[in-house]
């Protein structure tokens, strides 16, 4: 055998393999192809199969106009300044005799420019009146970038696709309102039973 | 170094003369064999790559991934922030593509600058330098959004007339400078620029003449109107009656509907 320069990883098998059969490499390759051919695929064939979307998925923002009081917090907090709001004030006559006239904000224009939006959700988070919600819809590509500005009627239409809020995590602590209400109820029960005699209070065992 | 004026490339006159059945076949062939030149610049490129993998797989739709270069590509997908430093490269590579060519703007940054629209070095939308056919919103968009945009582009190609798409205005060759679209003129009331006017608002109002975005017919756009420039203006939505603000549709139930939420009558 002639001396070969030492090559790391060279175990001399290549020479032996070449001598074992003509076209063996191609057969091995075809075997791999055949094996892969009959393996199940993981392709989700959109648009025939819609994707499985997680519950808090952010597709598009929906506006529930009835809840909006035009406080403009969403527009101010949006880091991109992609929410355009126009409004005016209306004066309502006094309801009682000698009362004061009331002023009301009326929404004229509410638009979200989805060509700028980065889907951070700050507007949804910051709205004190739950007028903005996430909707999982994502199929709204357009031919013209100006059509990516959704005006209020289009934003209102998205609210039909908003999912109900997911149920709370069973291992999570109860929300503060429920905890406070339970404490108040337990206190009232304790006061009632202190008069009538000591009894076990099943509500005390809950973790905070 | 002197430059040679090669003239603007274009589609030959036979395209305009082709009969409808032939155009149907050619459109079918063209829309189901789009070789894609991925212009992946930032995070949206990752979603593009995810769309090319086996889970979503845009090759099913006829979009063949990773052409060997712009000269062999039909479709350019600009995904990611186009910085001012990269903009000449985008323009150059787009010019190296052969007609007919299509562009998908993928993601907020290439649609309009996205979250970085205020930056000193970001091009506010790749459509400032090249004409775009489909805009995909998202930051980043889902891979399925890209698939939907491809389907939308294919529907557009199905109904298109290449002769009209690449017709030169008045028969004169258009230089690259003339082919760039001028900015939309802002309207007079100082509100948000009329660039943000929705098509719906444009259809509703047709008064004072504010010129809409001028496009030469070299660039892909809807067939140019035969009438003079379509007029549009931005009119604030002033409710005329109490019913004006009510949208005529089934009342959506707010997700947090409960005894504490007031639902207005419809």
């Amino acid at each position: 055998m002639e001396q070969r320069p030492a090559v790391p990883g060279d175990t001399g098998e290549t020479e032996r393999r070449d001598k074992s059969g003509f076209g063996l490499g191609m057969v091995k390759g075809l075997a791999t192809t055949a094996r892969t051919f009959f393996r199940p695929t993981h392709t989700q064939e959109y648009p025939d199969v819609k994707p499985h979307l997680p519950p808090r998925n952010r597709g598009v923002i929906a506006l529930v106009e009835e809840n909006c009081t035009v406080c403009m917090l969403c527009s101010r907090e949006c880091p991109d300044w992609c929410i355009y709001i126009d409004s005016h004030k209306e004066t309502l006559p006094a309801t009682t005799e000698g009362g004061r006239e009331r002023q009301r904000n009326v929404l004229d224009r509410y638009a979200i420019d989805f060509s700028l939006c980065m889907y951070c959700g700050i507007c949804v988070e910051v709205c004190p009146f739950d007028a903005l919600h996430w909707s999982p819809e994502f199929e709204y590509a357009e031919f013209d970038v100006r059509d990516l500005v959704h005006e209020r009627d289009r934003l209102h239409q998205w609210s039909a696709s908003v999912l109900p809020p997911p149920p709370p995590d069973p291992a999570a602590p109860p929300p503060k309102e429920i905890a406070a209400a339970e404490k108040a109820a337990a206190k009232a029960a304790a006061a009632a039973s202190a008069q009538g005699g000591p009894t076990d209070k099943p509500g005390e065992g809950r973790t905070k | 170094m002197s430059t040679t004026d090669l003239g603007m490339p274009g589609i030959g006159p036979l395209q305009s003369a082709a009969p409808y059945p032939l155009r149907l076949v050619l459109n079918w062939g063209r829309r189901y064999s789009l070789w894609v030149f991925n212009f992946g610049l930032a995070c949206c490129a990752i979603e593009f790559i995810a769309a090319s993998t086996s889970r979503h797989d845009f090759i099913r739709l006829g979009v063949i991934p990773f052409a060997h270069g712009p000269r062999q590509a039909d479709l350019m997908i600009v995904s990611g922030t186009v910085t001012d430093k990269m903009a000449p490269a985008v323009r150059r590579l787009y010019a190296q593509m052969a007609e007919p060519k299509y562009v998908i703007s993928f993601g907020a940054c290439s649609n309009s600058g996205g979250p970085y629209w205020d930056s000193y070095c970001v091009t506010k939308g790749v459509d400032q330098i090249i004409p775009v056919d489909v805009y995909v919103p998202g930051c980043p968009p889902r891979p399925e959004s890209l698939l939907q945009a491809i389907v939308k582009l294919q529907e557009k190609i199905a109904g298109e007339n290449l002769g009209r798409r690449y017709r030169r205005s008045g028969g004169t060759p258009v230089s690259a400078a003339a082919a760039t679209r001028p900015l939309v003129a802002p309207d007079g009331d100082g509100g948000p620029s009329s660039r943000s006017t929705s098509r719906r608002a444009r259809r509703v109002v047709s008064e004072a003449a504010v010129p809409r975005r001028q496009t030469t017919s070299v660039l892909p756009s809807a067939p140019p109107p035969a009438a003079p420039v379509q007029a549009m203006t931005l009119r604030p939505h002033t409710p005329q009656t109490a019913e004006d603000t009510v949208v005529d549709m089934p009342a959506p139930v707010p997700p947090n509907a409960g005894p504490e939420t007031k639902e207005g009558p419809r």
Side-chain angles (χ1 to χ4, degrees):
Chain A
M1 284 285 273
E2 59 199 58
Q3 283 297 326
R4 282 222 183 159
V7 175
D10 178 19
T11 53
E13 277 179 2
T14 321
E15 239 185 21
R16 264 175 271 143
R17 206 168 34 223
D18 282 347
K19 289 178 178 160
S20 57
F22 175 73
L24 190 65
M26 189 173 76
V27 172
K28 281 191 175 169
L30 285 175
T32 309
T33 306
R35 216 180 314 126
T36 316
F37 189 76
F38 290 106
R39 240 185 242 148
T41 60
H42 304 283
T43 309
Q44 288 182 352
E45 298 193 1
Y46 183 89
D48 302 320
V49 171
K50 296 298 173 193
H52 161 71
L53 297 170
R56 283 176 285 184
N57 183 59
R58 300 173 176 190
V60 76
I61 297 172
L63 173 73
V64 178
E65 270 185 58
E66 300 90 52
N67 293 355
C68 179
T69 61
V70 206
C71 65
M72 305 228 189
L73 269 174
C74 53
S75 181
R76 297 202 309 244
E77 299 296 326
C78 174
D80 273 359
W81 291 97
C82 66
I83 300 184
Y84 306 129
I85 300 181
D86 284 339
S87 72
H88 66 274
K89 283 206 167 85
E90 272 182 1
T91 313
L92 301 172
T95 44
T96 58
E97 179 91 27
R100 193 168 72 94
E101 284 176 342
R102 298 287 151 185
Q103 276 196 330
R104 195 171 67 114
N105 268 336
V106 175
L107 188 63
D108 291 331
R109 177 180 184 222
Y110 192 102
I112 297 183
D113 191 350
F114 283 107
S115 66
L116 291 173
C117 179
M118 63 174 178
Y119 300 81
C120 58
I122 288 179
C123 58
V124 176
E125 245 181 81
V126 100
C127 176
F129 306 104
D130 280 344
L132 291 172
H133 295 275
W134 280 117
S135 156
E137 292 283 335
F138 58 88
E139 294 153 315
Y140 51 104
E142 297 287 351
F143 293 125
D144 190 336
V145 70
R146 288 168 287 188
D147 288 335
L148 284 179
V149 179
H150 291 195
E151 299 291 336
R152 57 194 282 201
D153 51 350
R154 196 154 176 209
L155 291 174
H156 199 95
Q157 283 168 18
W158 292 125
S159 57
S161 54
V162 175
L163 299 173
D169 190 4
K176 287 199 174 62
E177 293 90 353
I178 295 185
E182 276 183 355
K183 242 209 258 182
K187 232 182 258 178
S193 64
Q195 299 167 0
T199 50
D200 240 17
K201 286 158 278 296
E204 301 279 10
R206 198 180 286 266
T207 56
K208 285 209 93 158
Chain B
M1 187 170 82
S2 66
T3 53
T4 312
D5 183 21
L6 296 172
M8 275 302 274
I11 304 291
L14 285 180
Q15 278 286 343
S16 311
Y20 179 67
L22 182 63
R23 224 170 42 231
L24 208 67
V25 172
L26 291 175
N27 284 356
W28 173 86
R30 198 165 54 246
R31 75 180 188 267
Y32 289 132
S33 72
L34 292 163
W35 287 82
V36 65
F37 169 50
N38 172 29
F39 217 95
L41 296 166
C43 3
C44 282
I46 305 300
E47 295 298 323
F48 175 87
I49 292 166
S52 73
T53 54
S54 68
R55 190 182 180 97
H56 305 107
D57 206 5
F58 53 57
I59 205 176
R60 293 183 290 116
L61 306 175
V63 174
I64 303 150
F66 311 127
H68 287 272
R71 297 196 188 273
Q72 287 121 32
D74 299 310
L75 170 64
M76 177 157 138
I77 297 187
V78 182
S79 36
T81 319
V82 184
T83 51
D84 286 347
K85 194 159 185 172
M86 194 63 174
V90 176
R91 177 79 198 171
R92 192 187 189 90
L93 293 170
Y94 175 76
Q96 285 180 358
M97 288 168 72
E99 265 82 1
K101 52 192 175 185
Y102 307 93
V103 176
I104 291 181
S105 165
F106 187 63
C109 288
S110 55
N111 285 347
S112 62
Y116 311 113
W117 64 267
D118 214 8
S119 167
Y120 59 93
C121 59
V122 161
T123 303
K124 281 60 166 164
V126 76
D127 56 356
Q128 295 216 336
I129 43 179
I130 57 176
V132 174
D133 289 293
V134 184
Y135 297 83
V136 190
C139 191
R142 292 189 65 90
E144 286 91 352
S145 286
L146 179 62
L147 300 179
Q148 190 245 342
I150 290 171
V151 170
K152 223 170 151 76
L153 175 67
Q154 287 172 342
E155 286 165 13
K156 185 180 184 184
I157 298 174
E160 83 173 343
N161 184 333
L162 271 193
R164 215 180 295 146
R165 183 179 163 105
Y166 290 106
R167 187 190 337 144
R168 297 174 186 176
S169 47
T172 55
V174 180
S175 70
T180 53
R181 290 181 284 187
L183 296 175
V184 181
D187 48 8
D189 62 3
S193 75
S194 48
R195 180 175 187 262
S196 61
T197 306
S198 75
R199 190 158 281 173
R200 216 158 278 116
R202 290 205 298 277
R203 264 196 252 114
V204 164
V205 187
S206 53
E207 272 115 297
V210 175
R212 89 188 237 188
R213 243 180 178 179
Q214 295 288 348
T215 60
T216 65
S217 48
V218 172
L219 307 172
S221 62
V229 170
Q230 197 98 81
M232 67 161 186
T233 188
L234 177 64
R235 183 184 71 177
H237 176 89
T238 45
Q240 304 300 325
T241 65
E243 313 308 313
D244 213 337
T245 50
V246 174
V247 176
D248 197 4
M249 52 169 282
V253 177
N256 297 329
E260 68 275 4
T261 310
K262 175 176 76 74
E263 279 186 63
R266 284 264 175 217

